[in-house]
Amino acid sequence: MDTPIPALYNDCAYTLVSTEQISRTVDRLAAEIQATYENSGRRLVMVVILKGSMPFAADLMKRLTLPIELEFMKVSSYGAGTKSSGEIKVSLDLNRDDLQDIDLLVVEDIIDSGRTLSRLTQLLKNRNAHSVRTCTFLDKPSRREVDFVPDFCGATIPDEFVIGYGLDYNEKYRNLPFVGVLKREIYEKK
Ligand code: IMP
Ligand code: MG
């Protein structure tokens, strides 16, 4: 007997990163991060960028055997049409004044134009953290508008709009357990 496919899954044209691939990717990233920080002698703070990075950050932190601390930030990038300088709006900020002794690891779901992470890392470096590195689950390098290279990257993907594993379209699809390409008719029908 076939299990019916949930309606939510039907909006997906095809799977880009399966649940198994996600798991293997997060294993590899955790090993890279562990090796980078394990002898640092400093405190490591994971800065989780809400909302999209939540499932990825949760999976990643459970694979690290380092002592880590968790913080959250919520940022959005003004559209390129609004401000060509690519300003970001911080609606939830870090609230600590001990950054000089700390390694910050910013955890992001996906990099597109590069504006969000480029600005955010600049902002955190200006607050004198000992180090600021970035870890993204996905990267679309062909969409870059500003130079930005993450320190840790799960997978580079083509220029497609993707959903699932935290990624949304109008706040929907974040709970899909895989990353899929959203059917064009869903966002082109309006
Ligand atoms: P950037 O500042 O253009 O790099 O913006 C990155 C942000 O855009 C991500 O944190 C996502 O919120 C959003 N984004 C970019 N591409 C996608 C996608 O394919 N699916 C869902 N969200 C995306
Ligand atoms: Mg995001």
Side-chain angles (χ1 to χ4, degrees):
M1 232 185 340
D2 285 344
T3 317
I5 297 172
L8 201 61
Y9 290 35
N10 274 331
D11 292 348
C12 197
Y14 58 94
T15 300
L16 199 60
V17 192
S18 69
T19 303
E20 292 71 26
Q21 284 170 322
I22 289 174
S23 179
R24 282 197 301 273
T25 302
V26 184
D27 281 345
R28 173 180 58 76
L29 288 172
E32 289 177 21
I33 290 166
Q34 182 87 23
T36 302
Y37 292 103
E38 64 192 345
N39 298 315
S40 77
R42 279 180 300 277
R43 287 155 71 192
L44 175 60
V45 175
M46 253 171 75
V47 181
V48 180
I49 308 303
L50 297 174
K51 303 173 189 171
S53 314
M54 192 272 272
F56 171 45
D59 284 350
L60 188 61
M61 64 182 276
K62 286 181 281 184
R63 286 161 162 91
L64 297 173
T65 57
L66 296 164
I68 62 152
E69 296 167 43
L70 263 193
E71 296 289 349
F72 298 91
M73 285 184 81
K74 193 165 182 204
V75 297
S76 48
S77 160
Y78 288 109
T82 318
K83 271 195 183 154
S84 54
S85 58
E87 291 302 321
I88 55 169
K89 178 169 174 276
V90 178
S91 49
L92 175 69
D93 206 344
L94 277 186
N95 193 15
R96 50 198 298 170
D97 51 17
D98 57 351
L99 294 185
Q100 64 283 351
D101 304 320
I102 277 174
D103 290 318
L104 290 179
L105 178 64
V106 177
V107 180
E108 180 61 305
D109 48 4
I110 189 164
I111 308 176
D112 188 66
S113 70
R115 292 185 190 283
T116 307
L117 276 194
S118 154
R119 277 307 167 115
L120 183 62
T121 50
Q122 222 170 59
L123 183 149
L124 293 171
K125 281 177 182 164
N126 289 344
R127 294 182 188 175
N128 297 320
H130 185 272
S131 73
V132 180
R133 290 191 180 89
T134 54
C135 175
T136 187
F137 183 65
L138 297 176
D139 190 1
K140 293 197 263 194
S142 65
R143 297 263 307 166
R144 233 22 138 258
E145 292 168 21
V146 295
D147 276 341
F148 187 83
V149 181
D151 297 282
F152 307 96
C153 175
T156 56
I157 61 166
D159 179 12
E160 297 280 6
F161 194 85
V162 290
I163 49 166
Y165 197 52
L167 292 154
D168 74 306
Y169 172 65
N170 287 345
E171 295 300 325
K172 215 172 148 188
Y173 310 107
R174 293 192 196 275
N175 55 320
L176 292 179
F178 55 86
V179 177
V181 172
L182 185 63
K183 282 182 181 166
R184 281 191 180 270
E185 65 251 38
I186 307 286
Y187 56 94
E188 281 174 356
K189 71 183 168 196
K190 283 168 199 140

